[in-house]
Amino acid sequence: MPAAPPRTALLAAAVALVALTASACGDGADAAEGGGKTQVRIAYQAIPNADLVVKNRRLLEKALPDVDVKWVKFDSGGDVNTAVIAGAVDLGLAGSSPVTKGLSAPLNIPYKVVWIHDVIGENEALVAKKGIASVKALKGKKIATPFGSTSHYSLLAALESAGLRASDVTLVDLQPQDALAAWQRGDIDAAYVWTPALTDLEKDGKVLVTSRDIAERGKPTADLGVVTTAFAAEHPKIVDAWLAAEDQAVKLAKSDPGEAAGAIGAELNLSAGEAEKQLAQLVLLTAEEQQGGDYLGKPGAPGALARNLHDAAVFLKDQKAVDAVPDQSVFDRALAVEELSRAAR
């Protein structure tokens, strides 16, 4: 696995990515204003959690009629980091591994964790071709995963647990849909990705380990909501409204999963039944629950998420994925507990 590229290289990549994103969305990368309105640019991913309910039901747009809300789709948290570095995203979803890398050198991205979209369970997994019965049997095989993602982190943890090093296999950097295409062509032996691509891989493959299994071994992963420190300081009311919308969507998913699944399915082009099945593979938390000591915590008492991110940084440093492990205080300060406390009132 290659070392993380320098920040200057990532910034160059960011410019290209933002240009492509702007072209795909049919609008420019105007950072602050849209048609005379304050603009908020939200990065989202095709993950079946309550964030897609917020988007589909236009909960934020209804709460902030005077704000220009832009939703921009990304394939992975690594791409979200790149867009944040380029100044093209204010709020967004990224996995805990990309966030750990973002808070570490060489990136040192000025953002903080304001929300836990989900704790990852069976919706991310390592699937191998039939005939490969264990992780250890992957030695010498070709495995696809999006580099820098939570799946990448969990894959490395799975290999380590099986007594393998990254150099014992051939790792291929592919986004979930590209990994599925490579699987169907017979170019790879296994893939560690997330739903909905994971669901297609499972049809003719064997699940060797899930991210819930990895979490039980002491390396949990999550999809996190991040906000740039500058945007949080300049637009606290927008951040508060976004948190309220996310909390509302989580409560709907808990009280009426079928209703929430309808919105999620519409975003992912899935039946409500399949969307509900995928939704059930995640652990969703309300704002009040996220104030618990196991998660984000409260003002003056950062939760265990900060320690989990620090532990992930230690692991990623061993894998040469970050240059250095930040002090624990960096991760403590990165938890936006003040903002969360306002949402939980």
Side-chain angles (χ1 to χ4, degrees):
M1 177 178 150
R7 185 184 175 95
T8 51
L10 280 169
L11 184 56
V15 173
L17 174 65
V18 171
L20 286 172
T21 301
S23 175
C25 295
D27 55 38
D30 185 8
E33 302 294 328
K37 295 182 177 181
T38 298
Q39 187 179 90
V40 56
R41 296 141 325 155
I42 304 173
Y44 77 100
Q45 296 185 50
I47 297 172
N49 59 28
D51 194 38
L52 293 185
V53 177
V54 175
K55 179 180 183 294
N56 182 263
R57 295 297 176 84
R58 298 180 59 81
L59 298 183
L60 190 58
E61 288 86 343
K62 293 173 183 176
L64 298 171
D66 295 326
V67 173
D68 181 28
V69 179
K70 295 286 187 182
W71 291 86
V72 187
K73 185 178 179 181
F74 290 88
D75 291 327
S76 70
D79 287 346
V80 174
N81 276 345
T82 302
V84 173
I85 291 170
V89 168
D90 306 303
L91 276 159
L93 183 155
S96 50
S97 182
V99 170
T100 297
K101 294 183 72 173
L103 294 170
S104 304
L107 301 185
N108 299 314
I109 299 175
Y111 61 23
K112 50 188 176 178
V113 180
V114 72
W115 187 250
I116 301 174
H117 284 289
D118 58 75
V119 178
I120 297 171
E122 291 86 0
N123 68 303
E124 286 192 16
L126 173 60
V127 181
K129 293 289 187 178
K130 291 180 179 177
I132 300 175
S134 67
V135 176
K136 193 168 186 177
L138 287 170
K139 186 173 183 178
K141 304 296 186 182
K142 188 177 291 186
I143 311 170
T145 195
F147 283 11
S149 67
T150 50
S151 286
H152 188 193
Y153 171 80
S154 295
L155 171 59
L156 295 175
L159 293 173
E160 182 184 61
S161 181
L164 298 177
R165 299 183 299 273
S167 58
D168 290 326
V169 301
T170 299
L171 297 181
V172 185
D173 183 11
L174 292 176
Q175 299 298 337
Q177 287 301 319
D178 294 328
L180 175 60
W183 171 279
Q184 293 169 339
R185 291 193 304 267
D187 294 343
I188 58 174
D189 303 295
Y192 205 129
V193 294
W194 53 84
T195 52
L198 174 62
T199 303
D200 290 323
L201 291 173
E202 290 175 335
K203 292 176 181 177
D204 60 347
K206 175 180 175 61
V207 174
L208 301 182
V209 67
T210 72
S211 291
R212 189 181 296 276
D213 299 326
I214 300 298
E216 291 172 353
R217 298 173 189 172
K219 291 183 171 61
T221 51
D223 290 312
L224 305 176
V226 295
V227 60
T228 66
T229 52
F231 190 87
E234 293 170 13
H235 303 288
K237 291 184 179 180
I238 294 179
V239 175
D240 288 353
W242 180 81
L243 283 169
E246 293 290 345
D247 192 43
Q248 179 184 347
V250 167
K251 288 175 178 175
L252 175 64
K254 284 175 171 283
S255 65
D256 192 345
E259 183 71 16
I264 293 169
E267 291 294 324
L268 297 179
N269 196 27
L270 296 174
S271 69
E274 180 58 33
E276 186 170 356
K277 177 183 175 183
Q278 294 185 16
L279 177 64
Q281 296 174 331
L282 297 165
V283 177
L284 304 185
L285 303 164
T286 64
E288 183 177 1
E289 290 170 331
Q290 293 191 32
Q291 285 195 297
D294 288 339
Y295 303 109
L296 279 165
K298 297 181 179 180
L305 175 62
R307 186 172 64 253
N308 292 340
L309 293 174
H310 179 268
D311 291 346
V314 172
F315 180 79
L316 291 171
K317 175 63 169 62
D318 290 341
Q319 300 292 331
K320 297 182 173 59
V322 298
D323 288 355
V325 178
D327 187 79
Q328 179 64 57
S329 62
V330 171
F331 297 102
D332 291 342
R333 292 193 299 270
L335 302 191
V337 290
E338 294 287 350
E339 288 86 346
L340 180 64
S341 68
R342 296 198 301 263
R345 287 173 188 163

